Structure formats: C-alpha cells, structure tokens
Amino acid sequence: EVDADNSNVWHWLGCTGGTVRGRSYSQKECFEKSLELKADNSDAWFHLGKQCGGGTVDGRLYSSQECFEKALEVDADNSSAWHLLGRFFDGGTLHGRSYSHQECVEKSLELKADNSDAWRFLGMQGGGSVGGRSYSQKECREKAKELLEKALEVDEDNCNALYWLGRVHGGTVRGRSYNQKECFEKALEVDADHSLAWYWLGIVDGGQFTFMVPCCTSSQHPSVRGFDVTCCTR
C-alpha cells in the first residue's frame, strides 16, 4: 500500500496472493508484477514457472520451461530450477548450451544433494553421474530412500515424505518397516486429501481412482511424462 513498486514484496506476496489498494492479485499476478519491476529475481522466475503455464512479463508470455531457463540465466546455482527443468521437461538451454533432462537433474544434485525426488528421478533414468561419480539405478533409489527416512525420523507425520517413501517402495522409520502400501495408507491418515497418495494406493492395492488435472492441459503441465501432478484431485 505504501510502496507499490517494491519488487521483493510483490514476490513474497506471490506465496499466497493478496489485495492491494482494493484490487485482488493472484499468486501468478504477484510474481509477474515482481518481475516487471525487477527482472533479475531468479526466485521470482522460478515461482512463476511453477504456476500452470508460466506467465506474462512486460507483455511477453513465458512458458514454465522458459521461466526456469530465465531463473538460471539470473542464477545458474538455482538448484530448484535445474531440478524442475529436468524433472518436468526435456531439459533446456542456458547461455547457448543445451542440457538434457538428465543433465539438468544431475546439475541440481551437484548443487543440492539432499533432494530425494531428484535422486528418485535420476534412478528412473537408469542412474547417472553426480559430482564426477557414477550412481547406478539402485544407488539412486537408496539415496532417495535414505533422505526420506531421515526426514521421517524428525517428523513421523511428514505426509509428503511418507508418500515419496511409498514411491521408492517403502523403508524403515524409527525401527519399523513400512511397505509401499503402508506408506500411502499412513500418508492418508495424516492428510486424507492427499490425492496422489489415493492414486498410488489404488495402483498398489489393485483399485482404480480418477486422476484429473483440473487447471492445466497435458501440453502445459509436467504430467506429460506420466509422473506426478501437484494439482490433482481425487
């Protein structure tokens, strides 16, 4: 209200969206406003990329993929942007060099090795090289499992960690072993609205659940690879 040209405030307001001078702004609109005021905000580009389909800055439409690339142009050490660029797309281009989706995920792990989802995804590619060392498919999965188990040792009711532990076929938490099905069941005990836990419980238990993407088309959304969609409904 006092300073409507504060780029950083618009960025942080984008976490929830809000009302300024009587007008409501969505999360996407807040990130767009932030970037129109200060285009060299890597985190703002990253968060805009996480919005379905990206957004418009200074009259130009940027896809989610382009937003992640812009985030990396500003800060090549943005591990989250590398992760999502590789995780959800066929990679991207930075300073004229093309990176495959696997190379993007490897770059992400070189910058931040405690990303369990990146390790899991790298395992799905058959393994890869991080920090000059080769990891097999099994080693990547074990790295992901180890990180998730550690998170659950701290907070046994971490719903997302329980879900992801199920995705790597279960593990051991505080001395108790959980198989894949039990991980999804426990995740749903914590949060009965966790749509992906319902979906995967249906798969491992032989049931069928509707898997919908209400806010995006398949061409816009990272679900095109058949992986996870954060805006699904049960």
Side-chain angles (χ1 to χ4, degrees), residues 6-130:
N6 191 317
S7 171
N8 290 330
V9 173
W10 279 109
H11 176 209
W12 290 113
L13 186 61
C15 294
T16 58
T19 301
V20 179
R21 297 177 180 176
R23 177 186 161 183
S24 294
Y25 290 85
S26 67
Q27 290 177 280
K28 179 184 289 192
E29 288 174 321
C30 291
F31 295 133
E32 290 171 337
K33 285 284 288 184
S34 173
L35 288 165
E36 287 174 358
L37 292 165
K38 189 172 184 288
D40 62 349
N41 187 329
S42 179
D43 287 338
W45 280 112
F46 169 74
H47 286 115
L48 184 60
K50 288 180 68 178
Q51 303 297 307
C52 293
T56 301
V57 179
D58 290 329
R60 179 186 162 184
L61 177 63
Y62 291 85
S63 67
S64 290
Q65 183 177 17
E66 289 173 320
C67 288
F68 296 140
E69 290 174 333
K70 289 288 288 184
L72 290 167
E73 285 178 13
V74 176
D75 179 9
D77 290 337
N78 189 326
S79 64
S80 297
W82 280 113
H83 173 216
L84 295 191
L85 188 60
R87 176 75 165 75
F88 293 146
F89 300 97
D90 290 325
T93 302
L94 179 63
H95 302 311
R97 178 186 162 183
S98 295
Y99 292 83
S100 69
H101 66 272
Q102 181 162 336
E103 287 175 319
C104 289
V105 174
E106 290 172 341
K107 287 281 288 183
S108 169
L109 286 167
E110 287 173 1
L111 293 164
K112 191 172 186 291
D114 63 352
N115 187 331
S116 60
D117 182 57
W119 281 111
R120 187 189 72 86
F121 180 79
L122 192 59
M124 292 175 65
Q125 310 309 304
S129 179
V130 178

Side-chain angles (χ1 to χ4, degrees), residues 90 101 133-134 205:
D90 290 325
H101 66 272
R133 178 188 159 182
S134 294
D205 202 31

Side-chain angles (χ1 to χ4, degrees), residues 201-218:
L201 181 61
I203 290 177
V204 300
D205 202 31
Q208 290 186 332
F209 293 84
T210 301
F211 197 44
M212 299 173 63
V213 186
C215 68
C216 309
T217 65
S218 60

Side-chain angles (χ1 to χ4, degrees), residues 54 57 76 80-81 96 122 155 169 177 188 209 230 233:
V57 179
S80 297
L122 192 59
D155 179 8
H169 306 293
S177 294
L188 289 166
F209 293 84
T230 55
T233 58

